Amino acid sequence: MDFKTVVAGAPGSVAAVAADALLVIVASVEAAAALDQPLADEFARALRDGDIDSKPGQVLYAHRVAGVKAARVAYAFAGAATARAFRKALAAGLGAIKAGGTKSLAVAAAGFGALDASHGEAVAMVAAEATYLYRQTKPSAPAPARLKSVAVVCAAKAEATAVSEGLRVGEALAEGTTLAREWANRPGNHCTPTHLATLALGMAKSHGLKVEVLERKDCEKLGMGSFLAVAQGSDEPLKFIVMRWMGGAKADAPVVLVGKGITFDTGGISLKPAAEMDEMKFDMGGAASVLGTMAAVARLKAKVNLVGIVAATENMPSGRAVKPGDVVTSMSGQTIEILNTDAEGRLILCDALTYAERFKPAVVVDIATLTGACVIALGHHRSGLFSSDDALAAELQAAGDTAFDPAWRMPLDDEYDEALKSHFADMGNVGSRAGGAVTAAMFLKRFTSKLRWAHLDIAGTAWKSGAAKGATGRPVPLLTHFVLGRAR
Ligand code: BES
Ligand code: MN
Ligand code: ZN
């Protein structure tokens, strides 16, 4: 899709914008009244007839409005002049327009004052989100939306410059988010560790990244006993993927992102129940978000050093699978009693975190669909954010808020560590059911004493169940904003 700005400041010029459809985001009834006459009149008539009642998210669709050049006009009522209301109304409006014959769309705002980069970013992001369709294994999927170009209507040149910059960032965010969404949606047999490695190697060429793929033998040499234990039950070869974007100065310490890449989580010998087990194809959502963020940051040629690590394997039961009670030695040298083979995410992440030390990182953030307990704690709106570092936690929280991809800080008090005590190893890999998201984070914390570290539990936010079943691409927006905020 193509994005641009058009300057239409003079009275009557919004009604005269040439496009297949015009979407007007309306902050208030008064703002609608101040639109170009034909646009204001149509809105007023609909209000009088009770066809729109100025509730946030309401959309009014009108065809061939006299005096308006675009054949289709949609009004999306925001109800407030905030960035958040703008975005919600935009999504609702695009929902109404995308199904039709519209190829070129113009988006105008009424009552938001001068638009800025955040509005441009929203347009590019929401357009990609609204038109994404999973087709990879579904030949019968409906034809893709016909929408090809989106123009944001601005009142002045300076406004258009700011919006254009937002569009540029938004397009990169959209690419990264869509990439993460697409790969998380692909079923376990179409998204194996090998597929992820091939994808990463392809991105080396397409995005100018340095990519290295470590195989089982390499991981054995490194002493990744914990990661290897999870992978040993699977016939699919594991992949440990390391990607580098070196856009910063040579001496700049990199940001390191570590993604959980369980391409299918059966639970292993501690087998999961059958109901909804298919959703465990999404258990590589953390890995997908690392790949997506690498793509977005590289596309923007951001002046920052970024390393993405993906530990990828299936978690399967088999005659060779790791068993409850088995004790393994992690790369850090600490031993782990694997009391539950379904708590496999932390087992692969701990070795990846130890591996991350070699980059002498500024900060390390791991991203994982780690615990069902996090879904119970926070539901599906906010990702769980864990860090003992207040400044880092605040930075990530702020990045999530501005990106409309929010997180919520969770505790990491030492008292929670008690749960991990083991009679037969330095630690067990599970505690009791209580506070499960926190004990999982406490487990990871034991491997981060040499790092400035944060952990995002995205079990509730990486995908949706039910009618809208599918991956969300989160938290690529949060991570990309976070990384861009650290660029020089
Ligand atoms: N991938 C799951 C976490 C998960 C569960 C995400 C449900 C989304 C929805 C993870 O590997 C897992 O199985 N965690 C266990 C941990 C338990 C055994 C301590 C869980 O949450 O039940
Ligand atoms: Mn599991
Ligand atoms: Zn898992």
Side-chain angles (χ1 to χ4, degrees):
M1 217 178 305
D2 252 16
F3 294 93
K4 60 181 183 206
T5 52
V6 289
V7 179
S13 56
V14 175
V17 165
D20 294 339
L22 174 65
L23 171 59
V24 190
I25 313 298
V26 179
S28 64
V29 172
E30 299 76 53
L35 280 163
D36 289 343
Q37 208 60 58
L39 288 164
D41 289 351
E42 179 70 16
F43 190 89
R45 272 194 298 273
L47 200 60
R48 210 180 319 114
D49 294 347
D51 289 341
I52 187 161
D53 61 2
S54 62
K55 274 211 191 77
Q58 266 231 333
V59 177
L60 171 73
Y61 181 85
H63 210 71
R64 305 223 175 254
V65 177
V68 178
K69 182 149 190 194
R72 306 161 183 84
V73 178
Y75 302 84
F77 198 79
T82 62
R84 189 190 161 79
F86 179 84
R87 195 175 264 247
K88 286 206 157 167
L90 187 65
L94 272 162
I97 284 204
K98 70 172 184 196
T102 297
K103 288 196 195 108
S104 63
L105 171 71
V107 178
F112 288 87
L115 301 182
D116 59 28
S118 76
H119 298 97
E121 193 178 309
V123 169
M125 277 289 282
V126 174
E129 206 174 297
T131 51
Y132 170 80
L133 199 65
Y134 177 78
R135 340 180 46 87
Q136 182 69 14
T137 52
K138 192 174 176 184
S140 65
R146 284 189 253 183
L147 194 57
K148 286 283 160 326
S149 76
V150 180
V152 181
V153 181
C154 299
K157 193 78 189 291
E159 186 182 337
T161 308
V163 171
S164 295
E165 174 56 17
L167 287 171
R168 192 180 75 90
V169 173
E171 279 186 85
L173 277 171
E175 179 191 325
T177 306
T178 306
L179 181 107
R181 205 172 162 187
E182 171 64 25
W183 279 90
N185 276 334
R186 292 193 186 181
N189 63 331
H190 290 260
C191 174
T192 61
T194 304
H195 286 114
L196 289 181
T198 307
L199 168 66
L201 289 166
M203 284 170 62
K205 286 214 181 72
S206 61
H207 288 73
L209 303 170
K210 275 200 195 122
V211 178
E212 207 183 337
V213 178
L214 309 194
E215 309 289 337
R216 170 184 295 276
K217 278 215 178 83
D218 306 307
C219 297
E220 280 167 2
K221 273 191 212 121
L222 287 161
M224 294 183 171
S226 188
F227 177 39
L228 287 160
V230 174
Q232 77 192 35
S234 171
D235 290 340
E236 283 292 339
L238 68 80
K239 301 286 167 181
F240 190 90
I241 306 165
V242 184
M243 317 173 77
R244 274 179 258 204
W245 167 255
M246 291 299 170
K250 213 167 175 198
D252 292 350
V255 173
V256 178
L257 303 178
V258 176
K260 171 179 172 181
I262 296 290
T263 57
F264 195 81
D265 182 11
T266 64
I269 297 300
S270 312
L271 194 64
K272 286 182 180 295
E276 278 132 50
M277 201 209 269
D278 66 290
E279 296 195 357
M280 285 302 126
K281 71 173 183 177
F282 296 121
D283 210 19
M284 35 59 72
S289 75
V290 171
L291 289 156
T293 303
M294 296 300 302
V297 169
R299 171 164 174 165
L300 290 168
K301 305 222 180 310
K303 292 192 168 66
V304 64
N305 293 332
L306 176 64
V307 178
I309 299 175
V310 164
T313 176
E314 291 180 332
N315 184 23
M316 298 289 282
S318 89
R320 258 192 292 278
V322 74
K323 304 172 295 297
D326 284 3
V327 173
V328 298
T329 304
S330 67
M331 186 176 171
S332 73
Q334 300 177 90
T335 59
I336 304 163
E337 185 186 13
I338 301 182
L339 291 163
N340 188 324
T341 66
D342 197 12
E344 85 296 341
R346 61 199 80 180
L347 296 174
I348 71 172
L349 289 171
C350 68
D351 282 344
L353 287 167
T354 303
Y355 186 85
E357 287 174 8
R358 68 185 51 209
F359 298 104
K360 303 201 169 26
V363 293
V364 178
V365 182
D366 77 72
I367 310 98
T369 49
L370 203 61
T371 65
C374 192
V375 188
I376 302 301
L378 293 174
H380 302 285
H381 294 299
R382 287 182 183 263
S383 304
L385 162 58
F386 300 79
S387 182
S388 316
D389 186 315
D390 291 344
L392 178 57
E395 204 177 322
L396 285 160
Q397 170 104 33
D401 288 341
T402 38
F404 294 93
D405 182 8
W408 195 256
R409 188 152 179 207
M410 300 276 282
L412 279 177
D413 303 280
D414 288 337
E415 284 79 358
Y416 288 103
D417 190 73
E418 305 266 312
L420 296 172
K421 279 193 178 142
S422 158
H423 290 289
F424 303 103
D426 293 333
M427 71 197 88
N429 75 328
V430 292
S432 64
R433 264 164 58 87
V438 188
T439 37
M442 290 305 289
F443 179 95
L444 297 176
K445 190 177 174 214
R446 286 179 174 234
F447 297 85
T448 60
S449 57
K450 295 182 186 138
L451 303 169
R452 251 194 103 188
W453 160 79
H455 156 61
L456 289 168
D457 193 331
I458 58 165
T461 52
W463 77 88
K464 291 180 177 157
S465 311
K469 186 167 178 170
T472 60
R474 292 180 66 184
V476 171
L478 180 160
L479 293 170
T480 305
H481 269 269
F482 171 72
V483 174
L484 293 180
R486 289 183 152 260
R488 44 165 76 231

